[in-house]
Amino acid sequence: MKRVLIVTGDFAEDYEVMVPLQALQMLGFVTDLVCPGKQAGAFIKTAVHDFEDDQTYTEKPGHRIRLTGSFVHVEPDAYAGLYLPGGRAPEYLRLNAEVCALARHFVTAARPVAAICHGAQILTAADVVRGRTLTAYPALRPDVEMAGGTFVDVPPDESVLDGALATSPAWPGHPALLRAFVRLLGPPDGERVLS
């Protein structure tokens, strides 16, 4: 069975953690949800970000989500792909050298990586967007461009694919982003055919 790694932390966007976690599990992928500094079985607190006609998104308390793996035990080569949720967590996760090294490992090995919303902050800090085309939450355009990437402004329900890197601006893009990511991963058990 193929394994997928989701790296996140406290105050990640609720939907951007729970939707990919459950969707990938439903498809048959073994999915490890990890957070630096926390062990399997611990919880992260999430935030719900919504678009309510204000100048930016609103933020409300989300769910407590149980981690399924321990960051300290992550062996990158055991995973077929990496998923980076957005929300507030990438603001501080990008300061963690191990998180950046992990992202760099997947991107430089051309293994499937999905980043949604502010998840691209980890990619820019890992210095892996230079020469790449991607999208993210619109406020990250300067970050992507200063890191040498080409930012594509797409509607929130779309995704952008550049090689093995799939990105989307926000949680409305889950269907497009997860479809692209799963196609990059291939069948979870080598037998099923995903259309």
Side-chain angles (χ1 to χ4, degrees):
M1 299 297 281
K2 288 185 182 173
R3 302 179 75 84
V4 175
L5 181 64
I6 301 176
V7 178
T8 193
D10 284 319
F11 301 104
E13 207 295 318
D14 192 275
Y15 292 165
E16 293 172 7
V17 175
M18 190 60 78
V19 170
L21 176 66
Q22 292 180 334
L24 291 165
Q25 290 172 338
M26 180 272 303
L27 289 171
F29 292 96
V30 175
T31 308
D32 289 336
L33 178 67
V34 301
C35 172
K38 295 190 178 193
Q39 300 296 318
F43 288 89
I44 59 165
K45 294 178 183 177
T46 66
V48 173
H49 295 116
D50 213 346
F51 309 103
E52 300 173 311
D53 296 324
D54 296 305
Q55 291 179 322
T56 189
Y57 54 86
T58 60
E59 187 171 72
K60 300 169 183 70
H63 294 93
R64 288 172 20 114
I65 300 176
R66 187 184 302 272
L67 299 171
T68 62
S70 299
F71 184 81
V72 70
H73 298 304
V74 167
E75 293 291 335
D77 291 329
Y79 297 94
L82 173 66
Y83 200 98
L84 300 171
R88 302 293 300 259
E91 291 178 358
Y92 62 86
L93 290 177
R94 66 182 168 169
L95 303 175
N96 183 310
E98 292 175 285
V99 170
C100 288
L102 190 62
R104 199 173 305 110
H105 176 85
F106 278 88
V107 173
T108 57
R111 302 227 315 269
V113 174
I116 189 163
C117 199
H118 286 75
Q121 288 179 311
I122 294 170
L123 299 175
T124 59
D127 193 24
V128 294
V129 302
R130 191 169 313 284
R132 306 298 295 260
T133 300
L134 64 150
T135 194
Y137 188 71
L140 269 63
R141 174 189 286 271
D143 302 72
V144 169
E145 291 175 346
M146 286 188 290
T150 300
F151 184 90
V152 180
D153 190 15
V154 299
D157 61 347
E158 292 186 15
S159 67
V160 172
L161 186 61
D162 181 342
L165 176 62
T167 54
S168 184
W171 57 259
H174 279 138
L177 180 63
L178 285 165
R179 188 178 312 111
F181 186 55
V182 168
R183 285 184 180 147
L184 290 170
L185 291 168
D189 60 10
E191 295 179 17
R192 288 185 235 169
V193 177
L194 302 173
S195 56

